[in-house]
Amino acid sequence: MADALAPHGLVISSGDTADVGVGGLTLSGGIGWLVRQHGLTLDHLRAAELVTAAGEVIVVDETHHAELFWALRGGGGAYGIGASFEFEAHPAPTFMFAALTFPADRAEQLVPAWSRFMRTAPKEISSTMVLANPFAGGLDAPVEVTFARCDAGAIDDAS
Ligand SMILES: Cc1cc2nc3c(=O)[nH]c(=O)nc-3n(C[C@H](O)[C@H](O)[C@H](O)COP(=O)(O)OP(=O)(O)OC[C@H]3O[C@@H](n4cnc5c(N)ncnc54)[C@H](O)[C@@H]3O)c2cc1C
């Protein structure tokens, strides 16, 4: 999805892995780096063409089958097969991404500070915290705490 939108200078909230399908991501939620600014992938959905269990092909949106459209956004594949989706996209901001990794014994000090920062951070900043063995290090490698931060157009001296 990101590959299709990028040449037009557009984005929507989507997941962090290109292999994940548009169908499951959209119908189940879709959490990505723009989530604090623009919500979930399902918040960008404006209409869908749906094949019902009866074999009918219908278009659902805010005015046609409105309750079904509401249920579709979060209901997964329970209400039919999404044959096509119409999304509202946003102009792509300038992205900056950073990740900082520390030994796990720093977590007690750093997690509360990170949590405090995120409570008042601009909506353009999304962040994750992972406490785990490093991907490449195997299970014997010491656990680390990694903070990843994505700035989607929020860069200023204060942040
Ligand atoms: C490596 C990896 C990274 C991920 N990262 C993220 C992430 O960053 N953010 C996030 O939110 N999620 C993430 N996920 C979870 C992912 O969004 C869900 O697993 C999603 O359901 C995948 O959708 P899919 O269409 O590829 O999967 P599928 O396994 O094909 O489908 C999942 C479910 O949705 C139904 N479904 C799929 N397409 C349709 C359709 N067109 N109409 C009706 N029902 C349909 C299927 O029947 C099934 O029940 C990740 C998953 C993986 C494996």
Side-chain angles (χ1 to χ4, degrees), residues 20-151:
V20 170
V22 174
L25 187 82
T26 304
L27 300 176
S28 305
I31 299 174
W33 289 111
L34 294 170
V35 66
R36 294 185 68 239
Q37 191 177 5
H38 290 304
L40 303 169
T41 306
L42 57 73
D43 292 316
H44 297 255
L45 188 65
R46 293 295 168 260
E49 190 181 42
L50 204 64
V51 183
T52 69
E56 245 187 308
V57 180
I58 57 173
V59 172
V60 297
D61 58 26
E62 287 290 358
T63 50
H64 304 92
H65 308 282
E67 289 188 4
L68 186 53
F69 183 56
W70 175 83
L72 205 60
R73 289 170 290 168
Y79 300 99
I81 299 167
S84 69
F85 301 100
E86 187 181 313
F87 294 100
E88 180 177 345
H90 302 277
T94 301
F95 284 97
M96 275 189 60
F97 189 83
L100 289 173
T101 297
F102 302 89
D105 60 8
R106 301 280 311 276
E108 188 177 352
Q109 172 199 8
L110 294 173
V111 171
W114 168 74
S115 170
R116 274 196 304 278
F117 169 74
M118 285 310 298
R119 275 198 197 107
T120 55
K123 291 268 187 271
E124 292 86 350
I125 295 177
S126 291
S127 179
T128 61
M129 188 276 292
V130 175
L131 195 60
N133 305 79
F135 275 133
L139 289 177
D140 293 335
V143 173
E144 297 171 334
V145 58
T146 297
F147 301 91
R149 162 179 161 157
C150 176
D151 289 61

